Amino acid sequence: MPDWLNAIILGLIEGLTEFIPVSSTGHLLLAKSALGLPDGFWDTFCVLIQLGAILAVVALYFQRLWSMLIRAPKDPEARRFIASVLVAFLPAVVLGVLLHDLIKEVLFESPRLICWSLIVGGVALLAIDRWPPPARRHDAMKLGLPTALGVGLMQCLSMIPGVSRSGATIVGGVLLGVEKRAAAEFSFFLAIPTMAGAFAYDLYKSRDALNLDQAGLIGLGFLVAFVSGLVVVKAMLDFVSRRGLAPFGWWRIVVGVAGLVLLAR
């Protein structure tokens, strides 16, 4: 299969899975393995194209986010929102830098770990959807700093491929009393600095290994992830409000079990 088609397939998977709690990284790495793509560049590709999906959030929430930024010097509420996102972001910064090589060189290379993470995460989603704690917070832009920090600590679990960044942050928010839709929305906001930081750091670490031909493939995957991400972000909040998290839990379990069966052959 030509590399440009591989780039489109992986970009589509990234955009469709980044914002739903099924683990975009897990799906990307399993797809990479199924397509027979070598390690190295394609692992980096899977990280770098995530910025395309994140820009979809920036595009859709631009007015609200820009309003918060320009109001921040005079509006305490705007400053609290910005602070909540930064506080939630900090744990991932520290652990991401410390564990970068372990994540890329060990955890990314374990399809069985990814499958088991998908299954365990699926069971967790089914449980939190069936027995959610009482919701005390209903506005993603008005979370307290302790709640934001708790969500940020939960996000660190997503450094294990297959756990899901959005899944970890949504479950963390719900456990801390955030209503499901608001937890999903805060997960979107937190994704912006988290994935932008991962993109910049991985690009820096891989700068000597990339060439112009590979830049074209990354650009193609980036574009496909952006467009498909726009579609998913628009639909995600309404879907969670209507159907909850259980469908994603069952999907994770099915994919994880199927992956284990294929690996056992």
Side-chain angles (χ1 to χ4, degrees):
M1 188 180 297
D3 283 346
W4 64 265
L5 186 53
N6 290 324
I8 290 175
I9 292 171
L10 294 178
L12 187 61
I13 292 172
E14 164 59 26
L16 294 177
T17 60
E18 178 62 49
F19 302 108
I20 60 177
V22 299
S23 178
S24 62
T25 300
H27 279 69
L28 283 170
L29 294 178
L30 290 176
K32 187 200 80 163
S33 179
L35 292 169
L37 300 177
D39 300 332
F41 164 71
W42 288 105
D43 287 331
T44 298
F45 176 92
C46 289
V47 174
L48 296 183
I49 64 170
Q50 292 176 342
L51 186 64
I54 297 310
L55 288 180
V57 174
V58 175
L60 290 172
Y61 283 94
F62 180 79
Q63 286 188 319
R64 290 173 66 182
L65 294 172
W66 181 248
S67 174
M68 284 289 181
L69 286 174
I70 62 176
R71 285 163 43 201
K74 297 181 179 179
D75 186 345
E77 184 176 291
R79 290 197 297 272
R80 280 194 296 271
F81 166 68
I82 294 171
S84 70
V85 174
L86 293 177
V87 165
F89 170 53
L90 283 177
V93 174
V94 176
L95 287 182
V97 171
L98 292 176
L99 302 179
H100 177 271
D101 292 341
L102 171 67
I103 294 168
K104 287 291 295 293
E105 296 172 12
V106 179
L107 299 184
F108 268 41
E109 308 305 327
S110 177
R112 283 184 174 80
L113 172 64
I114 295 170
C115 291
W116 279 112
S117 296
L118 286 168
I119 294 169
V120 172
V123 173
L125 285 178
L126 293 176
I128 200 70
D129 193 68
R130 179 66 180 84
W131 300 290
R136 303 184 303 276
R137 299 171 180 83
H138 299 269
D139 189 337
M141 291 190 161
K142 294 182 179 179
L143 301 188
L145 294 185
T147 300
L149 178 60
V151 173
L153 291 171
M154 284 291 291
Q155 178 175 245
C156 292
L157 293 175
S158 67
M159 293 179 185
I160 302 172
V163 169
S164 169
R165 189 205 59 78
S166 59
T169 52
I170 292 171
V171 168
V174 172
L175 288 174
L176 292 168
V178 182
E179 185 267 332
K180 291 176 187 175
R181 183 186 178 97
E185 195 167 34
F186 187 77
S187 176
F188 293 168
F189 297 141
L190 180 54
I192 297 172
T194 300
M195 300 315 302
F199 172 88
Y201 190 67
D202 211 81
L203 182 62
Y204 171 76
K205 294 282 284 187
S206 306
R207 65 192 184 282
D208 295 329
L210 299 176
N211 57 49
L212 289 179
D213 292 338
Q214 293 170 335
L217 290 174
I218 292 170
L220 178 60
F222 181 100
L223 178 61
V224 174
F226 173 77
V227 174
S228 53
L230 284 174
V231 175
V232 172
V233 172
K234 287 182 178 180
M236 171 65 175
L237 295 178
D238 289 338
F239 185 90
V240 169
S241 297
R242 295 194 317 270
R243 302 291 299 277
L245 300 172
F248 302 116
W250 287 116
W251 174 261
R252 291 175 62 104
I253 292 171
V254 168
V255 173
V257 170
L260 288 176
V261 170
L262 291 174
L263 289 171
R265 290 184 174 181

